DNA sequence: GGTGAAACTATTCGCAG
DNA sequence: CTGCGAATAGTTTCACC
C-alpha cells in the first residue's frame, strides 16, 4: 500500500466504473499497471466490492431508524452478528461503548414495516430493552470516505 | 421504474463493474437496452453513484463513533447540515426523534483524531451537549441495501 | 426494445528496467 | 518485482429498424 494505491482507491471510490486507462492517467501509470494493483488490492481485502449508491426513497425504503440495544449480560458479539444479519432491514450493527450494548441501523419501506422489524428485533432472546431514534432527515450520508487520514 | 429496473439496480449494487451485456443476460435484455435504462436511472437520480467499498482499517481509519447531538431550541436542519459537512470525519448525520436532536456518525484515524473531531463538533455554537458511543466492533455494515422492499 | 458496425477498453502477452 | 507497449478479445455506443 503506497501512495499510488491510495490514489487509485480514491479514484475508484469517486467512480467505480472508470476504465483502468482513465485511472492510469490520473495516477501516471499504464492501464495494465493499474489493473495489477487493483487485483492485488482486491485479493488483499483492501477493496471489498464495487457497488452502486441508490436513492433509498426511489427504491421504496423511505423510513430509517437507529436503535440502541440493551442486552443481557452474557451476550456475545457473535450472537449479535448472527441475530442482526437475520433481519433484512438491518443495514448496520455495531457494538458500542456507553449505556447501550449495540447500535442497529434499520431501513424499512414505511413506519409499519419499521415497526414490524423492530418487534422482530425486540423478540430476540438476549434483548432486554431498546431505545429508538427515527431518522427525520438525512443531513449527510457519505457512501464511503475518501481516504485522507492525516487530517488531525 | 418497473421490475426490470429493480433487477438492474440489484445487479449493479452487487457489482458495479459488471458489463451491460452481463446484466442483460440476468434481466433478459440486450446490452444497449440495459445501458439506456441505466442512463435513465442515473439521470433521474435513482442511481446516485458507482463507488468502491474499502476496508476502513486498510485505509487508516480504525476508529468510529456515533454521537448524539443535543442542540439549542432554535437550531435548523440546514444549520446542522452546513456544520456537520465542515468536518471531514462526519460520514453520516441525521436529525432524529427521541431525546437527541441529531445523530452523527464519525470516522477517524485513531482515538486522538476522534477526540479532536469531537471537540471541534462540540465547539459548534448550537451544540449544548453530546453523548458518544464509540464503536467497539462492526457486526453488520451493508454498503447498500439490496432492494426487496415488499417484505412486510 | 433489438441489431450490427465502429470506436474504445480490457486483458494477456513478451520484454525491459 | 513492477511497469511498459502491442495484439487479441470483449464492451460501449451509435445509427437504424
Amino acid at each position: 500500500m503506497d501512495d499510488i494505491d491510495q490514489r487509485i482507491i480514491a479514484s475508484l471510490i469517486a467512480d467505480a466504473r472508470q476504465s483502468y486507462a482513465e485511472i492510469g492517467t490520473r495516477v501516471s501509470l499504464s492501464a495494465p499497471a493499474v489493473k495489477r494493483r487493483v487485483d492485488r488490492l482486491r485479493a488483499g481485502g483492501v477493496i471489498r466490492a464495487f457497488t452502486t449508491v441508490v436513492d433509498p426513497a426511489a427504491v421504496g425504503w423511505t423510513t430509517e431508524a437507529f436503535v440502541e440495544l440493551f442486552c443481557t449480560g452474557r451476550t456475545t458479539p457473535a450472537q449479535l452478528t448472527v441475530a442482526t444479519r437475520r433481519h433484512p432491514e438491518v443495514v448496520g450493527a455495531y457494538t458500542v461503548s456507553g449505556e447501550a450494548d449495540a447500535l442497529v441501523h434499520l431501513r424499512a419501506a414505511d413506519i409499519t414495516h419499521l415497526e414490524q422489524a423492530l418487534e422482530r428485533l425486540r423478540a430476540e432472546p438476549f434483548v432486554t430493552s431498546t431505545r429508538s431514534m427515527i431518522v427525520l432527515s438525512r443531513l449527510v450520508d457519505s457512501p464511503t470516505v475518501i481516504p485522507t487520514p492525516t487530517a488531525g
Side-chain angles (χ1 to χ4, degrees), chain A residues 69-87:
Chain A
L69 250 51
F70 299 83
C71 305
T72 57
R74 229 178 302 299
T75 312
T76 65
Q79 269 180 283
L80 280 163
T81 307
V82 173
T84 50
R85 290 216 185 163
R86 257 207 302 274
H87 306 278

Side-chain angles (χ1 to χ4, degrees), chain A residues 54-66 89 91 105-115 133-138 141:
Chain A
V54 174
D55 178 13
V59 127
W61 297 76
T62 60
T63 312
E64 223 169 312
F66 286 91
E89 294 84 2
V91 296
H105 184 183
L106 291 177
R107 207 165 273 180
D110 49 45
I111 287 281
T112 312
H113 183 188
L114 186 72
E115 190 181 17
M133 294 178 267
I134 307 238
V135 172
L136 303 175
S137 71
R138 195 175 317 183
D141 197 2

